[in-house]
Amino acid sequence: MKKFFIFLAVAGVMAFTANTASAQDAATEKVAASTEMSAADLLSGNDEVPLHQALKTKFIEGGAGFMSLIIICLIIGLALSIERILYLTFSKSNSKKLIAEVEKALQNGGIEAAKNVCRNTRGPVASIFYQGLLRYDQGVDVVEKSVVSYGSVQMSEMENGLSWISLFIAIAPSLGFLGTVIGMINAFDAIQAAGDISPNVVAGGMKVALITTVGGLIVAMILQVFYNYILAKIDGLTIDMEDSSICLIDILTKYNGKK
């Protein structure tokens, strides 16, 4: 699944690069008219300027170098976020139903029947149950330690890839700020070359600088929403795993007492 989304990310970068190249070929004909468009025109949703054309124009004005890096952060970050969301969604299972089936299997067929139930059920809770049942012959105390240890393993698997998402959240606005600083330097270079502080000279460099900052902040905010949603799903699964593990220990203790 992860390889599939990485492939999608690469394909998206290639498509975006091709689209940018075609936009730059037509830049000499369209940029002059597009730069006269104010922010109010974009926000008003003018029908004469499609949204994709406005975004393409702002991308070119912000500089293809830094804006391309910011877009790459967005594409890869979204690919990793979607992969984690799908993984966590498929990991969710009906724990109450599983506990009832395991308890019924223990009463009717013993430990092996309970193992078969866990083996045929997806999700981290079933995997934890199976690891605990494998060590039932060593005592309930060993089962409890095994459940706790394997629960930590499942937690690590659920959190896999989050460090990369947080990296892109941090690096996207940093790239935007770096583009802003470079844009400011270019503005002062233009002032020095012109020998006069003209509003037109300053406005051009300032505009380019601020566009990169806006792009980086937007990317960071989008990825932050996905990141927090993933954390919320992990917390829910963790609570479910802990409650279910306690129920398993109670069930095995009762089963052991009846033998």
Side-chain angles (χ1 to χ4, degrees), residues 69-147:
L69 293 176
I70 292 173
I71 294 299
I72 289 173
C73 289
L74 176 62
I75 293 174
I76 300 178
L78 285 178
L80 293 172
S81 300
I82 294 173
E83 187 273 335
R84 281 294 90 189
I85 291 173
L86 292 176
Y87 177 84
L88 295 172
T89 300
F90 291 139
S91 298
K92 182 68 176 177
S93 59
N94 192 340
S95 300
K96 293 182 179 180
K97 181 180 178 182
L98 175 62
I99 292 171
E101 290 179 352
V102 168
E103 187 173 10
K104 183 178 179 181
L106 283 173
Q107 294 174 356
N108 297 332
I111 296 297
E112 290 301 324
K115 288 181 183 179
N116 290 331
V117 171
C118 298
R119 193 181 296 113
N120 296 326
T121 305
R122 62 176 175 84
V125 176
S127 299
I128 293 172
F129 279 18
Y130 184 77
Q131 293 296 323
L133 292 172
L134 282 176
R135 294 161 178 81
Y136 173 76
D137 56 346
Q138 302 177 25
V140 178
D141 292 337
V142 177
V143 171
E144 185 175 359
K145 293 179 181 179
S146 175
V147 165

Side-chain angles (χ1 to χ4, degrees), residues 166-188:
S166 62
L167 172 64
F168 292 127
I169 292 173
I171 203 173
S174 298
L175 288 172
F177 293 142
L178 181 59
T180 298
V181 173
I182 293 177
M184 294 291 293
I185 293 174
N186 293 333
F188 284 112

